[in-house]
Amino acid sequence: MIKVVLLGSGNVASHLIKVMEANDTIDLVQVYARSKKSLEHLIDSSKITTSFDNLKEADVYVISVSDKAIEEVSNQIPFTDKLVVHTSGTMGFDVINPKNKRGVFYPLQTFSKSKEVDMKSVPFCLETENVEDYKTVENLAKSLSNSVYEINGEQRKSLHISAVFVSNFVNHMYQIGNALCEENNVPFAILQPLIEETANKIKTLTPTDAQTGPATRNDEPTIQKHLEALENPIYKELYQKITLSIQNVKKL
């Protein structure tokens, strides 16, 4: 069994705790959190510590905290020559204190504490400073997921930016769509089949081939009607810029 100590209590950490606790090949030795109460619903309180001085020995230490806190947390680990990884999509392994062996253990998914995620389908993007440490991180990832990739720092940075576009920005479009529906007393649920079909199409088509709508057709009368109907100046500007972007991509 792979012995793991996990440091963190946020969205990603919470999901990792759930699946690691349920996995027969992983021994989640301990979890570090600033408050025991934040994790007592997920794991026995005897496994939670609020002190770095009380950290136990393990094969892998997984830091799952905000990007700005990774370095500070890694500095507090009271061991040397241990394998320490973080779950960030944007930070390199060099942010981890070099007193330990370093790596990245990045699950590429959107995580919310209130929403279950099938971890088996989540891509894990891995990188280690030392070649000999990769197998350990890979074994850990494969215990959790069927989708494991060796991804270097530059590739991971590009993936994370792409993820912001296809997830965070897309969800913001849902927010705007929902707001427009509410303003006009229309159920947002009417758009659900469209949202699902749009996502499903790119399983068989490239995003370029899947693109439809007035911008792709250069349907200026419809575009102008939409702009006239949009009263919120932020929505209007966003509509114009995205329309222009779609039209410019079409010209490439």
Side-chain angles (χ1 to χ4, degrees):
M1 295 181 75
I2 304 174
K3 292 186 176 182
V4 176
V5 168
L6 190 144
L7 302 99
S9 59
N11 288 339
V12 177
S14 296
H15 283 274
L16 288 176
I17 290 168
K18 287 181 186 178
V19 294
M20 287 183 179
E21 271 289 87
N23 195 294
D24 293 335
T25 65
I26 299 172
D27 180 9
L28 184 55
V29 177
Q30 190 180 49
V31 176
Y32 166 83
R34 285 179 291 183
S35 168
K36 281 195 173 188
K37 288 183 178 180
S38 62
L39 295 177
E40 284 179 335
H41 64 293
L42 296 176
I43 190 170
D44 191 285
S45 61
S46 64
K47 282 191 170 186
I48 306 171
T49 181
T50 58
S51 171
F52 289 108
D53 293 334
N54 293 332
L55 285 183
K56 295 181 179 179
E57 296 215 23
D59 300 314
V60 184
Y61 293 80
V62 179
I63 299 175
S64 187
V65 297
S66 66
D67 287 359
K68 63 183 180 182
I70 294 172
E71 183 176 6
E72 179 185 351
V73 170
S74 75
N75 290 340
Q76 298 296 322
I77 295 175
F79 303 110
T80 59
D81 205 34
K82 294 289 186 179
L83 180 53
V84 179
V85 299
H86 67 64
T87 60
S88 169
T90 56
M91 308 298 286
F93 58 68
D94 55 342
V95 72
I96 297 170
N97 191 306
K99 67 183 179 181
N100 284 302
K101 297 177 286 187
R102 305 179 290 184
V104 177
F105 188 73
Y106 170 47
L108 202 169
Q109 185 54 277
T110 174
F111 293 99
S112 298
K113 288 183 180 179
S114 59
K115 176 69 170 61
E116 292 295 326
V117 171
D118 177 14
M119 198 67 76
K120 279 294 181 183
S121 67
V122 174
F124 276 75
C125 304
L126 313 178
E127 184 182 17
T128 55
E129 183 176 19
N130 304 312
V131 175
E132 59 269 23
D133 294 321
Y134 184 81
K135 194 65 180 177
T136 301
V137 177
E138 183 183 46
N139 287 340
L140 178 59
K142 285 184 174 180
S143 295
L144 301 174
S145 173
N146 295 324
S147 183
V148 177
Y149 300 88
E150 184 173 8
I151 300 290
N152 66 39
E154 285 303 308
Q155 291 172 320
R156 190 173 61 257
K157 188 185 299 182
S158 175
L159 264 176
H160 195 263
I161 296 170
S162 299
V164 169
F165 272 96
V166 304
S167 177
N168 305 140
F169 287 177
V170 167
N171 190 71
H172 183 57
M173 298 299 107
Y174 297 161
Q175 289 178 313
I176 293 173
N178 185 62
L180 291 171
C181 283
E182 287 183 344
E183 287 173 11
N184 293 277
N185 199 28
V186 176
F188 181 66
I190 294 176
L191 294 172
Q192 190 70 38
L194 174 62
I195 292 170
E196 292 175 359
E197 176 60 18
T198 303
N200 285 331
K201 274 203 299 186
I202 59 168
K203 295 178 181 178
T204 55
L205 299 175
T206 67
T208 299
D209 290 338
Q211 187 71 58
T212 61
T216 298
R217 300 191 303 269
N218 289 317
D219 184 353
E220 285 301 324
T222 297
I223 291 170
Q224 288 306 314
K225 285 180 181 178
H226 288 174
L227 289 171
E228 290 168 8
L230 286 169
E231 297 178 0
N232 186 311
I234 295 176
Y235 296 171
K236 189 187 294 284
E237 183 182 7
L238 196 57
Y239 186 105
Q240 289 174 314
K241 288 184 176 180
I242 293 176
T243 295
L244 183 60
S245 180
I246 291 171
Q247 290 173 336
N248 286 339
V249 167
K250 186 181 176 183
K251 294 175 184 176
L252 295 179

